[in-house]
Amino acid sequence: MNAHRLPTGTSATIPTCTRISALGTTSSCAPKSSSPMRWRVWLALAAAAGLANVASAAERFCENDIVLIDTHFEAGAFHRCDVRDGNFVITIRPEDSKVQVPMPWYAFRATPKRPGDAVVLLGFVGAEADRFWPKVSRDGVTWYRLPDQAVAVSSDNKRLALRIALTEAPVLIASQQIVTTSYYDAASRRLADRPDVAVRLLGRSIHGRPIVVAATGDKPQAVLLLGRQHPPEVTGALTMHAFVTALLDDSELAGRFRESFQIITVPLLNPDGVAAGHWRHNAGKTDLNRDWGPFTQPETRAVRTLLAGLEDRGVALRLMLDFHATQLTETHLFYTQRPQDGDGRAHAFAAGWLDRVRQRLPDLRFDHRPSKSASANAKNYFFDRYGIPSITYETGDETHPDWIETAAPVFAEAMMRELLDP
Ligand SMILES: [Zn+2]
């Protein structure tokens, strides 16, 4: 039983905007603000903190007499790190010049040489500095939002100054909680232990990383869940994990659902981008969510092979959910078909599904945005090819993990009910 799970029929008050606080409790999001006065004070502090630098112009690491900073771990990424006039200056820019979406992923480790405060200046190219609020972790598992008083934003919103309190252990600093292939490997191993779930290799990324599919037993109809086309969209990954967990739990509803529907999940479509700390693309400099139809990349082609197998076996796909994350004031956002698309049933499913969630969680703020575009994204591809509800399931970048754990099972249960008893 999930500790955050709400009893059936009750509702919870969910703040519209929550973040991880330094103490791990929720706090309301502060409005965006920059503080030029404080920024100048910070620069003076930074200059005083690291004057005895012993290295400069390093790329993947740099150090002074207080701390060594590096990115030599999976998803560790920045463009470069320099020590200038005693200050750490880290430049953050997208992985290639075609990236247009300003989701500035960065992740680095600060290993102290002695206890003290390190001041790190981050400069952003192609994104606003406060697009993600910096997160910190000592163990890579539990993540905290850096306290407001430890972060200063420049008046042009292109630079951040971070003050990092160092004791003896290294700390990880990242734009979002780091969720890499080891997280997915652990989830796959847990699923592979279940007699009713088959985990297998679906294909490989450009760099040869596995793309794994986990599926329950064959049924005449199936639902398909896709995840992590876009590397920085970590809250979408956490939502997908909680959602799938609810579909696979031992409730009467989930058992009944699995009697009628095969559940097929491909949780990590862009392992190369995740491992390299990309903002958007795979290793082929391609936005995978613009490759549904062209199928120029091995990651999307792997799913096309899966679909061909379903068609060969006469399995009817009933629903596709594609998990993403974005900047939101609401907790979630759903892009669905419009009432006038096709015979209207795809929109009707989405409306019915989300209405069920509203009845369970009337205070949960989420947005339903029926839309149609010419984009070669998964939503359009699956609707055009199969005429099924094809939904982009967005989670807010700063939606608190506890609320993700609370809301995702409610969305999962509502989805199962809407498919079983429309
Ligand atoms: Zn996305």
Side-chain angles (χ1 to χ4, degrees), residues 326-410:
T326 192
Q327 194 168 33
L328 294 177
T329 50
E330 296 84 3
T331 307
H332 296 287
L333 164 64
F334 297 86
Y335 291 107
T336 75
Q337 281 66 53
R338 304 168 303 174
Q340 66 268 38
D341 293 332
D343 59 10
R345 282 193 294 181
H347 176 267
F349 168 85
W353 172 38
L354 299 176
D355 274 350
R356 288 176 190 264
V357 175
R358 278 190 202 92
Q359 286 165 25
R360 280 284 306 281
L361 296 173
D363 297 320
L364 179 73
R365 277 189 52 194
F366 59 89
D367 208 0
H368 176 195
R369 211 172 291 173
S371 64
K372 176 78 179 162
S373 73
S375 165
N377 61 24
K379 170 179 173 279
N380 288 334
Y381 177 78
F382 282 87
F383 179 70
D384 291 344
R385 183 171 180 89
Y386 298 102
I388 57 171
S390 304
I391 297 172
T392 310
Y393 185 154
E394 301 269 9
T395 298
D397 291 325
E398 306 291 346
T399 298
H400 193 286
D402 286 354
W403 292 118
I404 289 173
E405 290 284 327
T406 299
V410 177

Side-chain angles (χ1 to χ4, degrees), residues 230 233 280 324:
H230 296 145
E233 300 181 11
R280 188 73 172 181
H324 289 256

Side-chain angles (χ1 to χ4, degrees), residues 101-306:
V101 177
M103 296 186 85
W105 178 266
Y106 58 87
F108 58 87
R109 175 171 45 205
T111 304
K113 299 177 180 179
R114 57 179 170 82
D117 280 2
V119 174
V120 179
L121 307 175
L122 306 180
F124 294 80
V125 177
E128 294 195 322
D130 67 353
R131 176 65 175 78
F132 294 111
W133 195 260
K135 316 295 188 303
V136 59
S137 176
R138 294 201 182 279
D139 60 5
V141 177
T142 305
W143 286 82
Y144 302 100
R145 181 179 178 272
L146 264 187
D148 288 357
Q149 62 271 25
V151 180
V153 185
S154 67
S155 54
D156 63 359
N157 202 6
K158 286 294 174 190
R159 288 169 293 164
L160 290 183
L162 313 181
R163 183 163 47 82
I164 304 162
L166 296 164
T167 53
E168 273 146 30
V171 294
L172 295 164
I173 310 288
S175 51
Q176 287 288 54
Q177 174 176 349
I178 298 175
V179 171
T180 59
T181 56
S182 60
Y183 173 92
Y184 294 96
D185 289 347
S188 289
R189 281 196 298 275
R190 286 194 299 273
L191 288 178
D193 284 342
R194 291 175 58 122
D196 58 340
V197 178
V199 178
R200 68 179 178 87
L201 184 69
L202 183 61
R204 289 195 181 271
S205 66
I206 286 179
H207 287 164
R209 289 189 173 85
I211 295 169
V212 171
V213 58
T216 55
D218 283 353
K219 300 293 171 195
Q221 43 192 355
V223 295
L224 176 64
L225 282 61
L226 304 176
R228 211 70 188 277
Q229 298 197 69
H230 296 145
E233 300 181 11
V234 171
T235 55
L238 300 177
T239 294
M240 183 176 184
H241 181 78
F243 191 95
V244 172
T245 299
L247 298 184
L248 296 176
D249 76 12
D250 55 7
S251 69
E252 183 275 333
L253 173 64
R256 192 154 57 89
F257 184 76
R258 296 194 299 271
E259 284 299 306
S260 297
F261 291 87
Q262 184 179 30
I263 300 161
I264 305 170
T265 73
V266 185
L268 177 56
L269 266 166
N270 188 359
D272 291 346
V274 167
H278 285 180
W279 292 21
R280 188 73 172 181
H281 289 166
N282 70 343
K285 299 184 178 179
T286 298
D287 182 342
L288 292 177
N289 207 25
R290 300 293 181 272
D291 194 44
W292 296 93
F295 291 110
T296 62
Q297 303 301 305
E299 294 88 352
T300 44
R301 282 201 297 268
V303 177
R304 185 177 60 174
T305 304
L306 171 78

